[in-house]
């Protein structure tokens, strides 16, 4: 397949070259990818939409910076699911190439923005827990709602700027440089920079959570040693530790889902990928959707406020459903009594 030697850049930067990136060769592979994307994407949109509803329907949760960051994470996962599923299935399953280089880079920028914002929202949540544990007395002064919204604005603008760089000119066609083996028109240096950006975010998150868990361990050890009575301050500390452990679970799922993709990206920079590895990369990409789908489940199971709100929503729905089922019977009884009268 000499025509698919994508390192010959300038002469290969055309729409026809994109056929070389369509690595799914059998119908079974395409059906599998379509089913995985459809299942993960649908559940991800539904679950994260439910999380947004639970947060913003309660005045108590929508004012807390912690839940503002979680809502940003949910919004980013919704956007990532929509853009990723539509573009990924359209490209790999339906083999659609009837679009320009700019259109493809715009779609790729949307996916990068969403996933980068998701990871950055986790970083803000980690920093929020870090401040809550390390400076509990000054937490409300340091982490206000206004500062939380400003931080979210900076994060989203930064992610959009970094993701739009290939569309603005940092691509292998414009620069006549080495193209990536995994993404059409993407410059290898840009891919390396994006990987470094992602790894820095992951490193900061891991450091923040390691500190949170270390302080939590110290607190528990102190309580056991001195047999401190559980008061209001200790209750709040336990709630912070609970939320920290929840987000550590989210981080663990994130690392497990993103590690295969990042490893293959790094490997593609230093070595040439076989068609088999490129197929593996296509299937591993769906793990990113799995990560976005699992996050809301962890929130519902671990956050007492969201869990109680979810129970209230379901109980209200059951009451409405029962009332709608009983109303026809009541109406028929009323009509029969009118006839008898």
């Amino acid at each position: 397949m000499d025509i698919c030697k994508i390192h010959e850049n300038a002469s290969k930067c055309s729409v026809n070259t994109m056929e070389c990136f369509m690595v799914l060769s059998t119908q079974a592979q395409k059906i599998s990818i379509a089913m995985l994307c459809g299942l993960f994407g649908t559940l991800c949109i539904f679950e994260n939409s439910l999380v947004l509803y639970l947060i913003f329907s309660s005045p108590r949760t929508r004012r807390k910076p912690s839940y503002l960051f979680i809502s940003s994470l949910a919004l980013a996962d919704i956007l990532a699911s929509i853009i990723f599923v539509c573009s990924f299935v359209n490209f790999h399953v339906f083999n659609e190439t009837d679009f320009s280089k700019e259109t493809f880079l715009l779609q790729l920028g949307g996916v990068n923005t969403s996933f980068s914002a998701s990871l950055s929202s986790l970083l803000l949540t980690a920093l929020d827990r870090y401040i809550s544990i390390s400076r509990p007395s000054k937490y409300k002064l340091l982490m206000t709602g206004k500062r939380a919204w400003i931080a979210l604005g900076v994060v989203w603008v930064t992610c959009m700027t970094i993701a739009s760089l290939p569309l603005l000119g940092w691509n292998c066609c414009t620069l006549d440089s080495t193209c990536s083996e995994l993404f059409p028109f993407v410059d290898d240096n840009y891919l390396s920079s994006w990987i470094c950006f992602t790894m820095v975010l992951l490193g900061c998150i891991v450091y923040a959570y390691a500190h949170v868990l270390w302080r939590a361990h110290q607190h528990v050890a102190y309580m056991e040693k001195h047999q401190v009575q559980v008061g209001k301050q200790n209750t709040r500390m336990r709630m912070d530790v609970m939320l920290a452990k929840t987000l550590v679970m989210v981080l663990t799922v994130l690392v497990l889902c993103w590690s295969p993709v990042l490893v293959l990206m790094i490997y593609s920079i230093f070595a040439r990928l076989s068609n088999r590895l490129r197929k593996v990369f296509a299937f591993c990409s769906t793990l990113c959707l799995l990560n976005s789908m699992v996050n809301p489940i962890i929130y519902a199971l671990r956050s007492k406020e969201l869990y109680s709100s979810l129970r209230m929503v379901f109980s209200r729905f059951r009451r409405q459903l029962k009332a709608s089922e009983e109303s026809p019977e009541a109406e028929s009884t009323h009509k029969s009594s009118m006839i008898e009268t």
Side-chain angles (χ1 to χ4, degrees):
M1 293 184 62
D2 295 335
I3 193 173
C4 291
K5 289 183 179 179
I6 54 182
H7 280 297
E8 299 175 12
N9 308 293
S11 60
K12 302 297 182 183
C13 286
S14 64
V15 176
N16 295 331
T17 312
M18 298 185 69
E19 296 178 359
C20 302
F21 293 88
M22 298 174 182
V23 294
L24 303 182
S25 55
T26 65
Q27 197 68 20
Q29 294 173 354
K30 294 181 180 180
I31 294 175
S32 300
I33 284 288
M35 291 179 62
L36 289 174
C37 289
L39 177 63
F40 294 160
T42 303
L43 291 176
C44 178
I45 294 172
F46 171 75
E47 292 171 1
N48 284 285
S49 299
L50 182 61
V51 169
L52 288 177
Y53 172 77
L54 294 176
I55 291 175
F56 286 98
S57 62
S58 172
R60 185 180 178 182
T61 55
R62 67 172 175 241
R63 291 172 185 164
K64 292 184 177 181
S66 301
Y67 288 104
L68 287 178
F69 299 146
I70 291 175
S71 63
S72 174
L73 175 63
L75 177 62
D77 286 338
I78 290 174
L79 294 177
S81 300
I82 295 174
I83 302 173
F84 178 83
V85 170
C86 292
S87 59
F88 196 78
V89 172
N90 195 39
F91 184 80
H92 284 288
V93 177
F94 297 107
N95 300 134
E96 182 65 42
T97 59
D98 190 19
F99 50 82
S100 62
K101 176 190 72 175
E102 289 75 17
T103 303
F104 177 83
L105 292 178
L106 180 63
Q107 293 176 353
L108 184 63
V111 174
N112 285 346
T113 298
S114 303
F115 282 126
S116 298
S118 176
L119 190 59
S120 300
S121 298
L122 273 178
L123 175 59
L124 290 178
T125 312
L127 294 177
D128 175 75
R129 292 301 90 201
Y130 179 88
I131 296 173
S132 177
I133 294 292
S134 60
R135 297 184 180 181
S137 59
K138 298 182 179 179
Y139 172 75
K140 290 186 177 180
L141 294 175
L142 295 174
M143 189 58 68
T144 61
K146 183 178 179 180
R147 289 181 177 177
W149 281 108
I150 292 175
L152 288 175
V154 171
V155 159
W156 278 87
V157 170
T158 302
C159 293
M160 291 175 62
T161 302
I162 294 175
S164 63
L165 290 177
L167 184 63
L168 297 176
W170 192 356
N171 57 77
C172 58
C173 301
T174 303
L175 300 177
D176 191 18
S177 56
T178 303
C179 291
S180 169
E181 293 190 29
L182 295 174
F183 306 100
F185 314 124
V186 173
D187 180 68
D188 254 351
N189 292 327
Y190 171 80
L191 183 61
S192 303
S193 302
W194 188 85
I195 293 172
C196 291
F197 172 70
T198 304
M199 298 300 290
V200 167
L201 289 178
L202 282 172
C204 293
I205 294 172
V206 170
Y207 173 79
Y209 280 134
H211 182 82
V212 167
L213 292 179
W214 177 65
R215 291 296 297 268
H217 174 73
Q218 280 188 327
H219 177 76
V220 173
Y222 177 83
M223 290 180 61
E224 292 178 350
K225 181 178 180 180
H226 298 277
Q227 296 181 351
V228 179
Q229 293 292 328
V230 178
K232 185 176 179 180
Q233 184 71 19
N234 293 329
T235 302
R236 192 183 70 178
M237 176 66 80
R238 287 206 319 273
M239 290 176 62
D240 290 336
V241 172
M242 182 76 171
L243 186 55
K245 290 181 179 179
T246 299
L247 295 169
V248 167
M249 293 173 61
V250 175
L251 177 62
T252 302
V253 174
L254 177 77
V255 171
L256 291 177
C257 290
W258 275 86
S259 293
V261 173
L262 289 175
V263 168
L264 287 174
M265 284 183 182
I266 295 173
Y267 182 77
S268 69
I269 296 174
F270 299 101
R272 190 168 181 82
L273 294 178
S274 63
N275 287 335
R276 184 177 180 180
L277 283 179
R278 292 165 69 190
K279 289 180 182 179
V280 171
F281 178 80
F283 278 92
C284 289
S285 299
T286 60
L287 292 177
C288 304
L289 282 178
L290 178 63
N291 166 67
S292 300
M293 185 194 74
V294 170
N295 286 345
I297 299 176
I298 299 177
Y299 304 148
L301 292 177
R302 299 285 295 179
S303 173
K304 291 184 178 180
E305 291 177 309
L306 290 186
Y307 184 70
S308 61
S309 299
L310 182 62
R311 290 182 63 183
M312 290 176 60
V313 168
F314 279 127
S315 62
R316 193 184 312 136
F317 176 75
R318 282 198 301 266
R319 287 196 301 266
Q320 292 177 353
L321 187 62
K322 186 180 294 185
S324 64
E325 290 176 351
E326 293 176 352
S327 59
E329 298 177 1
E331 186 177 354
S332 62
T333 304
H334 175 72
K335 286 183 178 179
S336 62
S337 63
M338 289 292 290
I339 293 172
E340 291 176 0
T341 304

